[in-house]
Every structure is written in structure tokens, then in C-alpha cells.
């Protein structure tokens, strides 16, 4: 069974605040991903990592940044939140050579 | 580049009936994988089924089967004996070859099961 966690599940925050969305997995997966998804819409890849100290930008431009200091941890940071950042953020992980991506429960972010 | 197309924004199906959700894809990779995910209103993504491009037989997982037609570049999801709990968004996705492939998602189909 997949074990991938995201905190917080819901976050309402004011414009200009710095926020960090946490994502952790206990499966030892090298590959981790962040997706942004507006309600009822498709997923857009915003960041990915293939291992410690490896991070890449995804297909959708994002003002967020990520880090991968430990295999199990892949946090996403917004230095200055804006209403346009309001969305759901989904974290996923997978094995190298594997096909399935295991998803966390998501963080629903609302910036006022 | 990979592209996934889901042309059905929404569908209705009667409980206990079968339903087919359409998915077509485009890729230049000779080897690729095709997936379906279910996303209930709670927001989590649930993996349903996987089909490799070189798999000879269509993938099946319980009530889910993937109708893979390589020449037509289609990978439709068939749900048999629909249940009320099947009401959700369904996303088709694909990955390229190699161990570090990214996954491309379609725009999704919202399925509603009617009692």
C-alpha cells in the first residue's frame, strides 16, 4: 500500500505570506512530483525530482520552488502567496523503472 | 511530445450498466505506458489500471478493463456493472519509455452513476 503524506490538507492564507506545502513518502521512491490542479480540471506538472539534490521544473510555469534534501521529503514553497496560487496541489512518487505514480491526498490552498 | 485526449467532459450511466470512457493518445516513443486514475470529489488520485504498449492482452483489474487499440492509438476504460461509488472524475494518462519518464494527463471525464 502506498504511503505518501501531504500537510496541510487545507490552507487558507492571506496575500504575501510565505508558505511551505509538505510531502513525504515512506516507500523509498526516487521519483517525486508536484502537480497543480484547479477544480474539475487536468493535472499540470510543476516540479519533479529524480533523487536527492535533483529538481526540475515541470511543464507548467510556477512561481513555487522545491527542494530534495532527503529521499523521502519533497516540500514546495511559495515565497509570496497570491490569489492566483489558489488551487489544489498534489504530490506523487514512483519507483525508477516503475509505471505507477502514487499520489498523496492533496493540499487545497486558498489565498485571499 | 506526448498528448492525451479525452473528448467526453461528462457522462451519465445507469447503475449496474457498463460504461466506456474514451481516451486517445499521441506519442513518438516506441515504448510507452497508459494509465487510468479515478479522482473522487475528495480529491485524491486513485490508480486503476495500467497497459504497456507491448502487452499483447488488454489489461483488466476487477470491474475495470482497458480496451487498447494500438493502431488507432486509443486506450478506452470500460467499467462493468457501474456502482454509485464509481461517480468521479476519470483521468487517462501516459508515460514514455525509460526509467525517468514523466506522465502526461488528459483533461478528464466526469462520470455520474444514476440509481
Amino acid at each position: 500500500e502506498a504511503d505518501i503524506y501531504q500537510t496541510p490538507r487545507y490552507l487558507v492564507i492571506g496575500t504575501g505570506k510565505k508558505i511551505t506545502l509538505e510531502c513525504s513518502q515512506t516507500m523509498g521512491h526516487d521519483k517525486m512530483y508536484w502537480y497543480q490542479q484547479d477544480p474539475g480540471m487536468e493535472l499540470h506538472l510543476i516540479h519533479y525530482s529524480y533523487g536527492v539534490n535533483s529538481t526540475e521544473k515541470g511543464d507548467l510555469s510556477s512561481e513555487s520552488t522545491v527542494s530534495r534534501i532527503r529521499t523521502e521529503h519533497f516540500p514546495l514553497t511559495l515565497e509570496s502567496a497570491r490569489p492566483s496560487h489558489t488551487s489544489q496541489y498534489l504530490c506523487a512518487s514512483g519507483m525508477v523503472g516503475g509505471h505507477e505514480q502514487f499520489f498523496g491526498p492533496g493540499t487545497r490552498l486558498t489565498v485571499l | 511530445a506526448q498528448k492525451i485526449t479525452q473528448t467526453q467532459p461528462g457522462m451519465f450511466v445507469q447503475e449496474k450498466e457498463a460504461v466506456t470512457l474514451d481516451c486517445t493518445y499521441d506519442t513518438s516513443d516506441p515504448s510507452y505506458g497508459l494509465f487510468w486514475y479515478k479522482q473522487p470529489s475528495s480529491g485524491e488520485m486513485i490508480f486503476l489500471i495500467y497497459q504497456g504498449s507491448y502487452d499483447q492482452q488488454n489489461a483488466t483489474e476487477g470491474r475495470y478493463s482497458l480496451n487498447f487499440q494500438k493502431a488507432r492509438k486509443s486506450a478506452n476504460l470500460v467499467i462493468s456493472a457501474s456502482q454509485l461509488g464509481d461517480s468521479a472524475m476519470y483521468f487517462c494518462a501516459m508515460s514514455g519509455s525509460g526509467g525517468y519518464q514523466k506522465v502526461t494527463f488528459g483533461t478528464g471525464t466526469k462520470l455520474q452513476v444514476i440509481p
Side-chain angles (χ1 to χ4, degrees), chain A residues 12 42 54 65:
Chain A
V12 180
E42 65 200 286
S54 151
T65 58

Side-chain angles (χ1 to χ4, degrees), chain A residues 9 31 33 35 37 40-43 45 48 50 59 88 90 95-105 108, chain B residues 33 35 37 39-47 50 89 91 95 98-108:
Chain A
R9 292 293 311 279
K31 299 189 293 187
Y33 308 84
Y35 293 90
Q37 184 189 28
M41 303 296 285
E42 65 200 286
L43 281 71
L45 180 68
Y48 60 99
Y50 290 150
D59 303 321
Q88 172 162 255
L90 288 159
M95 293 186 295
V96 171
H99 302 285
E100 182 180 350
Q101 288 193 357
F102 297 89
F103 281 83
R108 291 183 194 256
Chain B
F35 311 78
Y37 284 87
Q39 187 178 43
S41 57
S42 52
E44 73 269 29
M45 293 284 283
I46 302 167
F47 169 79
Y50 167 79
M89 282 288 284
F91 290 93
S95 64
Y100 294 93
Q101 69 278 11
K102 290 187 287 182
V103 177
T104 301
F105 287 84
T107 52

Side-chain angles (χ1 to χ4, degrees), chain B:
Chain B
Q2 303 171 5
K3 185 175 171 63
I4 291 283
T5 302
Q6 293 181 256
T7 57
Q8 306 155 313
M11 287 195 68
F12 291 90
V13 64
Q14 204 78 36
E15 197 178 3
K16 299 187 178 67
E17 296 292 314
V19 63
T20 298
L21 306 183
D22 294 340
C23 173
T24 58
Y25 63 91
D26 194 20
T27 181
S28 55
D29 278 328
S31 175
Y32 49 89
L34 296 153
F35 311 78
W36 280 90
Y37 284 87
K38 173 185 178 181
Q39 187 178 43
S41 57
S42 52
E44 73 269 29
M45 293 284 283
I46 302 167
F47 169 79
L48 294 178
I49 197 166
Y50 167 79
Q51 176 87 40
S53 59
Y54 287 111
D55 292 341
Q56 295 295 320
Q57 292 188 327
N58 287 342
T60 59
E61 291 286 346
R63 294 186 300 111
Y64 304 107
S65 60
L66 198 152
N67 184 1
F68 180 47
Q69 298 188 42
K70 197 169 183 177
R72 299 179 63 180
K73 292 190 174 181
S74 73
N76 299 339
L77 177 71
V78 180
I79 305 175
S80 62
S82 297
Q83 301 172 356
L84 295 177
D86 294 335
S87 295
M89 282 288 284
Y90 288 81
F91 290 93
C92 182
M94 76 176 300
S95 64
S97 57
Y100 294 93
Q101 69 278 11
K102 290 187 287 182
V103 177
T104 301
F105 287 84
T107 52
T109 296
K110 184 171 184 178
L111 177 67
Q112 295 187 61
V113 180
I114 306 165

Side-chain angles (χ1 to χ4, degrees), chain A residues 16-35:
Chain A
K17 300 291 187 185
K18 178 180 178 178
I19 59 169
T20 296
L21 307 185
E22 302 287 349
C23 176
S24 295
Q25 49 95 6
T26 58
M27 298 168 283
H29 289 166
D30 285 320
K31 299 189 293 187
M32 295 191 74
Y33 308 84
W34 276 104
Y35 293 90

Side-chain angles (χ1 to χ4, degrees), chain A residues 74-111:
Chain A
F74 191 41
L76 181 144
T77 298
L78 275 166
E79 290 292 332
S80 179
R82 294 209 300 268
S84 60
H85 296 138
T86 295
S87 190
Q88 172 162 255
Y89 293 84
L90 288 159
C91 180
S93 72
M95 293 186 295
V96 171
H99 302 285
E100 182 180 350
Q101 288 193 357
F102 297 89
F103 281 83
T107 294
R108 291 183 194 256
L109 172 66
T110 302
V111 183

